[in-house]
Amino acid sequence: GNSVTQMEGPVTLSEEAFLTINCTYTATGYPSLFWYVQYPGEGLQLLLKATKADDKGSNKGFEATYRKETTSFHLEKGSVQVSDSAVYFCALSGSGGSYIPTFGRGTSLIVHP
Amino acid sequence: DTGVSQNPRHKITKRGQNVTFRCDPISEHNRLYWYRQTLGQGPEFLTYFQNEAQLEKSRLLSDRFSAERPKGSFSTLEIQRTEQGDSAMYLCASSSGARGQETQYFGPGTRLLVL
């Protein structure tokens, strides 16, 4: 079946540091890949997505590239802010005839001033 | 567009009681999903509606769980004879567009505590 593996958290960084959160997946075919973010006290919301290999999704300074050869969709940001502190979820959908999304367990990011 | 809303936001119940949660999706969205999320985990799929039809249910979903979406608008999730293991956050999401590529819009969730 489909699965998504994210790096364990929490990830703790100082403001303006470079961020990478690793995400790898197992799926058949060519799923769509997503990053969702959950800020404290709020619901999950889409951060970015990519629907085919080599696509790059980007939003709010975050980027992720769909790498079919390494089955990865790592999230990066060049300079994090305190307001980026949240839980980040990698997800996939549209694999093996199923459109049900599969989520990773989430990675908590804590950014200190 | 007021977003996805869920009620109640919190529910405390005693083991063995029945509980019902409501989800109001974004009005133009034809798909509605229910998920369960426990601490330190991502959302786990429970069931999915397209309009009023319930098209998929998780194999992990106990017979004590039932969901409806009358008239393809709001949805309810009922848990009968609750158990302590049912304690979790229950999330609702709605979407529309190309299947497998669509963005899911999540509600704030209903946190259930079974004593």
Side-chain angles (χ1 to χ4, degrees), chain B:
Chain B
D1 177 2
T2 57
V4 178
S5 61
Q6 293 187 245
N7 288 288
R9 295 291 304 276
H10 304 273
K11 179 70 176 179
I12 300 175
T13 191
K14 293 183 179 179
R15 189 176 54 186
Q17 298 294 305
N18 299 343
V19 295
T20 299
F21 309 142
R22 177 178 170 126
C23 171
D24 287 272
I26 294 171
S27 58
E28 61 267 29
H29 285 178
N30 60 344
R31 300 191 197 105
L32 188 148
Y33 299 78
W34 284 99
Y35 296 89
R36 177 170 57 196
Q37 186 180 21
T38 54
L39 194 63
Q41 301 295 321
E44 175 190 27
F45 169 74
L46 293 179
T47 190
Y48 151 64
F49 291 85
Q50 180 148 317
N51 300 312
E52 66 275 11
Q54 187 174 17
L55 296 186
E56 284 199 52
K57 290 173 63 173
S58 168
R59 286 171 292 176
L60 303 175
L61 198 63
S62 160
D63 289 344
R64 296 182 296 105
F65 287 69
S66 63
E68 295 182 340
R69 192 183 182 197
K71 302 179 183 178
S73 55
F74 71 93
S75 176
T76 58
L77 177 69
E78 180 182 18
I79 309 174
Q80 297 182 324
R81 305 181 303 281
T82 52
E83 302 173 356
Q84 289 184 325
D86 296 331
S87 296
M89 178 76 87
Y90 290 84
L91 301 175
C92 175
S94 69
S95 70
S96 65
R99 292 193 71 193
Q101 299 180 6
E102 77 269 31
T103 298
Q104 300 228 327
Y105 293 82
F106 283 84
T110 295
R111 186 172 296 281
L112 172 66
L113 177 61
V114 182
L115 301 176

Side-chain angles (χ1 to χ4, degrees), chain A residues 30-92:
Chain A
Y30 296 87
S32 295
L33 301 174
F34 305 81
W35 277 101
Y36 285 85
V37 59
Q38 186 171 29
Y39 298 104
E42 299 184 15
L44 278 81
Q45 57 186 273
L46 180 73
L47 180 60
L48 53 85
K49 68 179 180 182
T51 58
K52 59 182 187 294
D54 300 324
D55 268 4
K56 177 185 286 186
S58 61
N59 186 26
K60 299 182 180 180
F62 290 88
E63 293 182 340
T65 302
Y66 188 156
R67 301 288 187 199
K68 179 67 176 175
E69 63 276 13
T70 55
T71 61
S72 64
F73 193 53
H74 304 320
L75 182 67
E76 296 183 337
K77 186 175 185 182
S79 176
V80 294
Q81 305 300 311
V82 172
S83 57
D84 293 327
S85 298
V87 181
Y88 293 81
F89 294 92
C90 186
L92 68 83

